Amino acid sequence: MQAQCCHRAALDRTAAFCDDCGQPLLRCPAFEECGGLLDSDGCCEECVAPELALDADGVRAARVGGALSLPLIVTNASRARRPLFVKGLWTREAGGDWRAVEVPWERLDAGTSAPIAVRAEALERAGVHQLEIALAVATRHQWREEVLAFTTGLALTVEGEEALTVQQNITYAADAPQTGATIYAPLRVQAAESPCAAPAAPKALPLTRASRLERALDLRGYDDGTVVPRTVRVVWRGFGDREAPPAGPIGGSEGLLTLGRSRARVGGGTNDARLLALAGPGDFSGIDEAASRGISRQHFGLCVENARLVLRVESDLGAWINGEQVPRGTSVLLRDGDRFSPIARTRGCLAVRASFESHHGVVETVTLTRF
Amino acid sequence: MHSKSLALSSPELLAEYVLQSELQGFLEKRFAAPPDHAAILIRDGRVVDTYKGAHFSIGGVLRGLLRFATGAQNVRVLLADLKPFSIQSPVRAITKDAVEVAGVVTLELQVDPDEPQNVMGLISPVGHLTRTGILERFRPHLADRVFESVLRQIEARELRGHTGVQDLLQGSVMRELERIAGNIGLTVRAVSAEWALSEVEREEMRYAQIDRQQDALDRSLEWVKRGLERNADAAEVQLKTSLDLTKLQLDSDDEIERLVLAREVELLDARESAQRRQELEALGHEIEVLQTERAARIENELAEAGQQIDLNRYRRALTRVNLEIEAMRATHAAEMRKLGAFAELDIDERQRTLELDVNGRAQRQSLEHIAGLQEIENSTAAHEARLAEEARNGQSRREVDAVRAEADARVAQMQAGANMSAEQVLAVNAGLSKDVAAVLVERARAEGGGHEQALGLMREMVSQATEARVASEAQAREMFRMGIDGAVGVARHTGGGQGADADPGAQVSASATAECPTCSRVNPAKARFCVGCGHQLRT
């Protein structure tokens, strides 16, 4: 969670860093509505505040071999009054595989709750079992969506059949021959029943952010486990003077970089980087005006979404990504080495390549090189 | 001279005129009519001749001179297929019992071989006659006049496989076509109809299927009955056979007597069995009693064993005390002997007295020890019980307190979340107190127009209040009263959307600003880092 000085500095929409502590300001994509900042894992606590509780009368004890159905309540406690979208619910016993639970609803408005039942499978051994519950929720703003997963645990008591058995054999015999017998008569001492009392009020289950589970369930990050944090440093290469911002994290009030024909902010415009077709490769002295007219004022949007670098095509003319045409309104996952260009005619003299520099599975620098 | 064989241009055609281009020429042309076709030579509108499987010639120098002398002549050749052909037409009608039936009627037709020239009446304006053209021409005449009228006389279940119906249909179609096309070269050779399944037939089939299934079930039942009867008969036969064998074995009075005795023995055995069963039941009851008593005795023995262990421990302690006393006494006597203070008699007397005294004291001490230990044991048990009860009570209190604290925290959280607006959250996150946040929200809502404007205004006021370190509600109200309203007015202007993207550095006076050496952004002088690039401006 960012410091109070960062919250104060974030009030200046043009500020990218805190003037007091120098940390980059990680604004929530819905900053205009919530005014919140993201934590180190990319979660806005103003928007994403799910709560999970075991409903009243939910029993947590069963006999050996039985199954248990747990009534849960999911609550959206967002202080910013923003809705949450439940993307999935999973359960597993300790060490087992995650089982998806079908959730019949998706949207959960702020301040509202919705019930859902979770089933614990056949419990074959007596003792205390741990049931893990994973909840994936999403917050949306315009076309962007951030999915986050949380986990919690619940102890289940499984009671055995008996506690003590005293073996005794009784042998009796009558006067007549062959009338004796031996009777096997064990004494069973049954333990007093101690069922876990059902809570009279909903019992809150503390939720913990599950970053590893997010990667395992393919909710965040790339297939190979690499993640792009919100603090990733973007380096611009091959761009002309006053056509790209200095190297640094993605700032702005929405955490979105825009690229297009309009001038860059460092040059007094509205884009983060300016894309113009040059007369020749690397020749910034001349501009191919005919080709540049095929570039929209705001052609691309670049942002970090679900710990992945996402490129969105905003131009009606579409774009070419790795040689394939992509229509307007398409969000494409950018990987290391991907190339994109605004229009076909300028592929030879205007293309941008994204290069990742990562350590321990975390991308620290994204270099956007213009060709 | 070579003859050109005439043929219809398409297998779908029944008759067509030969093209004029094939007929014209200055020299004579010879044509051959196939044996199953008729070539009708027409000159100046009159049928000159009809050729079937024959050769004929047209034109030539002589006829050309004649035509030149007498005027132009129009020669045409109509080629007609004389083979019988069939056309099919779907038919749908209502029967006598008001059931809709459908089917396909096949008409076997042929151009009249005797007067093929009459088919000219059916030739279309484009010069040919097709089979489908014939069907389309006659279908309206057949639909109601023939099919409907014939089928109206028949019931649906009598339709299928009824030769009379087929004959009636054929006769009716022949009469109708004779009436229509008898003089235009067409003859009807045969008419047949195929019928689709009607509703009545489907029901009959279903009923028949149900009957068959019922018959199969009846037959299965019959088989089962017969199997049971066969088994019963076989058992009966076996019993009778067994009896007969027994009778056969009884071939003497002695053996009959033995049998009677055996039955008596069986009777006695049965009585004994009943008696034995009663004895076993009594023994079972006794076993239960013994079991209960044994369980109780085991418990008593366990308790007594515990007491015996305690007593043994006390006895060992008593023995140890006695040994210590004895050792002390011996030491004391040896010392007294060394001193010689007492005579031997006195010593013996004192020794006896001492022994009695020591024994009495030892007994008293042992009794006191036992009583004390029992008391300690009792008090320990009571203390443990009290501790256990207190522990349970403490656990319950802790659980209750935890649940209550959790509920209170949740209520407080819900209330806080419910009562705070987005503007308040924004101010509280920036480090301002709730009271100050309330004042700012009140001001922002009063000054701002819509929600977005109020939020923008709120951001500016929170920034200013944070810089001014406003900590209480009074300070906040004082801030507005002292004239910061001017700055707020500027902020309201900014929040209102006009010039929202203006550089915030422009609002700060030049003396209170510092330019970043890296990105040239103008920052407040007190800023430690550049808000544009994060460069450290001062330490």
Side-chain angles (χ1 to χ4, degrees):
Chain A
M1 184 173 180
Q2 293 200 300
Q4 286 186 351
C5 60
C6 297
H7 282 279
R8 178 188 52 74
L11 298 174
D12 178 4
R13 292 186 211 177
T14 62
F17 291 84
C18 176
D19 61 348
D20 197 19
C21 66
Q23 292 298 315
L25 299 173
L26 308 179
R27 292 182 178 85
C28 173
F31 181 78
E32 292 297 327
E33 297 178 24
C34 69
L37 300 181
L38 304 180
D39 62 10
S40 57
D41 287 332
C43 177
C44 172
E45 295 184 353
E46 305 298 336
C47 298
V48 184
E51 289 181 351
L52 198 63
L54 178 65
D55 200 358
D57 303 330
V59 180
R60 287 180 293 144
R63 292 284 184 194
V64 171
L68 207 58
S69 182
L70 300 167
L72 300 178
I73 299 175
V74 185
T75 304
N76 178 8
S78 167
R79 290 188 296 177
R81 315 301 295 171
R82 301 206 66 239
L84 276 181
F85 299 88
V86 177
K87 306 293 286 185
L89 189 72
W90 298 266
T91 63
R92 73 169 181 183
E93 284 78 27
D97 296 329
W98 287 103
R99 299 188 306 273
V101 178
E102 187 177 353
V103 182
W105 39 265
E106 184 182 29
R107 184 186 173 101
L108 199 60
D109 288 324
T112 61
S113 301
I116 190 167
V118 169
R119 180 179 172 83
E121 292 300 318
L123 304 165
E124 297 176 350
R125 296 173 63 182
V128 178
H129 292 248
Q130 183 75 8
L131 179 70
E132 292 181 75
I133 303 171
L135 175 70
V137 297
T139 175
R140 294 174 183 168
H141 181 253
Q142 296 176 358
W143 54 270
R144 295 168 70 181
E145 180 184 74
E146 285 288 335
V147 183
L148 304 154
F150 299 86
T151 60
T152 187
L154 191 62
L156 305 177
T157 304
V158 179
E159 298 169 353
E161 291 293 336
E162 59 187 32
L164 178 64
T165 302
V166 177
Q167 306 289 349
Q168 64 173 0
N169 295 325
I170 300 171
T171 304
Y172 69 93
D175 293 337
Q178 297 182 351
T179 53
T182 299
I183 296 176
Y184 170 70
L187 278 179
R188 293 176 185 274
V189 181
Q190 186 73 40
E193 292 189 358
S194 58
C196 279
K203 176 182 172 54
L205 304 174
L207 288 172
T208 307
R209 181 75 185 280
S211 56
R212 181 171 293 179
L213 180 65
E214 289 170 348
R215 292 196 291 274
L217 295 177
D218 200 21
L219 298 175
R220 295 176 71 84
Y222 291 91
D223 300 340
D224 58 356
T226 307
V227 296
V228 180
R230 182 70 169 72
T231 55
V232 66
R233 186 166 178 265
V234 181
V235 178
W236 306 83
R237 282 186 184 159
F239 287 83
D241 189 24
R242 300 174 70 82
E243 286 193 351
I250 299 175
S253 61
E254 294 183 347
L256 179 70
L257 294 173
T258 56
L259 297 86
R261 180 161 53 86
S262 295
R263 283 187 297 170
R265 285 195 181 86
V266 293
T270 56
N271 275 333
D272 287 285
R274 189 177 196 187
L275 295 176
L276 287 174
L278 302 180
D283 180 13
F284 289 96
S285 59
I287 295 173
D288 184 351
E289 292 187 0
S292 296
R293 275 195 289 272
I295 304 172
S296 295
R297 289 185 178 87
Q298 182 177 330
H299 209 106
F300 297 109
L302 190 68
C303 66
V304 175
E305 182 179 314
N306 293 326
R308 304 157 183 155
L309 193 64
V310 172
L311 181 77
R312 181 166 174 95
V313 179
E314 300 285 4
S315 170
D316 289 332
L317 306 171
W320 275 259
I321 299 174
N322 292 328
E324 294 183 2
Q325 189 171 14
V326 176
R328 180 183 186 276
T330 307
S331 296
V332 181
L333 204 65
L334 277 189
R335 298 175 186 276
D336 189 14
D338 282 352
R339 296 175 66 140
F340 58 95
S341 56
I343 54 175
R345 283 188 300 162
T346 60
R347 269 186 296 177
C349 58
L350 177 55
V352 180
R353 187 181 69 193
S355 305
F356 291 180
E357 182 181 336
S358 60
H359 298 293
H360 306 295
V362 179
V363 177
E364 295 182 349
T365 304
V366 172
T367 304
L368 297 174
T369 308
R370 172 189 169 133
F371 294 95
Chain B
M1 188 175 181
H2 178 69
S3 300
K4 183 181 180 182
S5 179
L6 295 175
L8 293 172
S9 59
S10 170
E12 289 296 320
L13 295 178
L14 189 61
E16 72 171 336
Y17 284 106
V18 179
L19 293 176
Q20 289 280 18
S21 57
E22 295 184 5
L23 302 179
Q24 290 174 354
F26 184 73
L27 298 176
E28 180 185 33
K29 287 188 177 180
R30 286 185 63 80
F31 298 96
D36 52 354
H37 284 65
I40 303 157
L41 181 62
I42 305 165
R43 181 174 291 131
D44 293 336
R46 287 190 299 110
V47 176
V48 177
D49 201 351
T50 301
Y51 304 96
K52 300 173 189 172
H55 295 253
F56 62 97
S57 59
I58 297 175
V61 179
L62 186 59
R63 287 198 179 92
L65 292 173
L66 183 61
R67 189 165 63 242
F68 181 74
T70 57
Q73 286 184 333
N74 183 17
V75 177
R76 302 202 70 178
V77 174
L78 177 65
L79 188 65
D81 189 353
L82 300 180
K83 293 191 295 295
F85 64 95
S86 64
I87 54 177
Q88 291 184 325
S89 171
V91 57
R92 185 179 295 273
I94 307 296
T95 60
K96 183 178 180 182
D97 50 351
V99 177
E100 184 182 27
V101 293
V104 175
V105 171
T106 304
L107 304 170
E108 198 74 23
L109 303 176
Q110 187 181 15
V111 175
D112 190 354
D114 296 332
E115 295 181 348
Q117 64 275 11
N118 289 348
V119 84
M120 281 192 295
L122 294 172
I123 298 293
S124 67
V126 293
H128 58 71
L129 174 63
T130 62
R131 292 174 171 83
T132 53
I134 292 173
L135 178 65
E136 293 301 322
R137 184 159 183 169
F138 294 141
R139 193 205 303 272
H141 300 285
L142 300 177
D144 194 73
R145 282 178 171 271
V146 178
F147 300 142
E148 288 283 1
S149 64
V150 169
L151 294 176
R152 263 295 174 191
Q153 306 169 25
I154 315 291
E155 291 192 350
R157 59 174 52 86
E158 298 173 352
L159 202 57
R160 190 173 301 280
H162 199 309
T163 313
V165 174
Q166 297 282 355
D167 292 342
L168 179 61
L169 196 64
Q170 177 174 277
S172 302
V173 172
M174 282 180 172
R175 274 199 307 275
E176 186 63 22
L177 286 188
E178 179 67 23
R179 183 180 70 83
I180 301 168
N183 54 355
I184 52 176
L186 274 182
T187 59
V188 180
R189 299 181 63 85
V191 176
S192 296
E194 295 177 83
W195 307 110
L197 279 177
S198 67
E199 191 178 348
V200 172
E201 288 173 326
R202 284 198 189 89
E203 285 182 358
E204 287 181 349
M205 288 172 65
R206 194 166 68 247
Y207 291 150
Q209 185 183 9
I210 292 170
D211 289 343
R212 285 196 299 276
Q213 290 174 350
Q214 189 61 42
D215 290 344
L217 289 174
D218 292 344
R219 187 166 298 176
S220 299
L221 179 63
E222 191 66 27
W223 288 348
V224 172
K225 281 182 180 177
R226 285 171 56 187
L228 290 173
E229 288 175 358
R230 192 163 52 243
N231 289 339
D233 293 345
E236 190 176 354
V237 167
Q238 191 174 0
L239 284 174
K240 285 177 182 176
T241 306
S242 177
L243 285 174
D244 291 341
L245 285 174
T246 306
K247 285 179 182 176
L248 287 174
Q249 287 169 355
L250 298 176
D251 54 357
S252 67
D253 293 338
D254 291 337
E255 289 184 351
I256 293 172
E257 187 176 356
R258 185 170 55 80
L259 180 63
V260 171
L261 283 174
R263 288 186 177 174
E264 286 180 358
V265 168
E266 286 176 2
L267 188 62
L268 287 174
D269 287 342
R271 288 176 181 170
E272 285 179 2
S273 298
Q275 189 176 359
R276 196 170 296 159
R277 189 171 65 248
Q278 290 176 354
E279 287 176 353
L280 285 174
E281 288 176 355
L283 281 171
H285 177 68
E286 193 174 353
I287 287 165
E288 290 181 359
V289 173
L290 282 173
Q291 185 177 347
T292 308
E293 288 178 358
R294 187 166 182 171
R297 194 163 61 247
I298 287 171
E299 289 182 1
N300 289 333
E301 285 176 358
L302 285 173
E304 286 174 5
Q307 291 177 357
Q308 192 66 33
I309 289 169
D310 292 337
L311 280 175
N312 289 335
R313 192 163 62 243
Y314 299 149
R315 285 195 186 104
R316 280 199 300 275
L318 179 60
T319 304
R320 202 161 44 244
V321 170
N322 287 335
L323 287 173
E324 289 174 1
I325 292 170
E326 186 68 21
M328 289 170 63
R329 186 184 62 78
T331 307
H332 180 68
E335 288 177 357
M336 291 300 287
R337 282 192 198 95
K338 283 181 186 176
L339 293 173
F342 301 100
E344 286 294 327
L345 290 175
D346 291 341
I347 292 170
D348 293 336
E349 183 64 25
R350 288 179 64 84
Q351 190 174 356
R352 281 195 296 274
T353 308
L354 186 61
E355 284 177 356
L356 289 173
D357 190 23
V358 167
N359 288 336
R361 277 193 290 172
Q363 287 179 356
R364 280 198 303 276
Q365 283 180 354
S366 65
L367 288 173
E368 288 173 359
H369 282 163
I370 291 170
L373 287 168
Q374 286 180 345
E375 187 177 353
I376 288 169
E377 189 177 3
N378 292 334
S379 64
T380 302
H383 184 63
E384 287 177 351
R386 193 165 59 251
L387 283 175
E389 186 176 357
E390 287 179 358
R392 284 196 298 273
N393 291 338
Q395 179 70 20
S396 301
R397 277 197 300 277
R398 279 196 297 276
E399 290 178 355
V400 169
D401 291 343
V403 170
R404 187 175 298 151
E406 191 177 356
D408 292 345
R410 179 176 171 77
V411 169
Q413 185 181 0
M414 294 296 288
Q415 286 177 346
N419 294 332
M420 288 172 68
S421 62
E423 294 89 343
Q424 280 180 304
V425 171
L426 192 142
V428 170
N429 280 341
L432 298 175
S433 68
K434 286 184 179 178
D435 297 334
V436 176
V439 174
L440 297 187
V441 169
E442 175 187 332
R443 191 78 181 183
R445 289 181 178 167
E447 298 290 340
H451 180 66
E452 291 296 327
Q453 292 178 353
L455 265 181
L457 185 58
M458 188 69 190
R459 286 193 189 93
E460 298 299 329
M461 286 195 295
V462 167
S463 177
Q464 292 174 7
T466 310
E467 289 174 3
R469 300 185 184 278
V470 176
S472 66
E473 179 181 355
Q475 288 177 349
R477 296 195 183 283
E478 186 67 14
M479 179 180 78
F480 290 114
R481 196 183 66 77
M482 290 294 290
I484 302 182
D485 273 358
V488 173
V490 174
R492 183 183 61 196
H493 178 69
T494 306
Q498 299 175 11
D501 295 332
D503 186 357
Q507 298 173 17
V508 186
S509 64
S511 61
T513 59
E515 184 175 338
C516 174
T518 303
C519 67
S520 303
R521 181 181 175 114
V522 177
N523 293 280
K526 66 174 185 174
R528 296 168 62 192
F529 295 89
C530 174
V531 298
C533 64
H535 180 75
Q536 189 168 7
L537 300 174
R538 59 187 178 89
T539 56

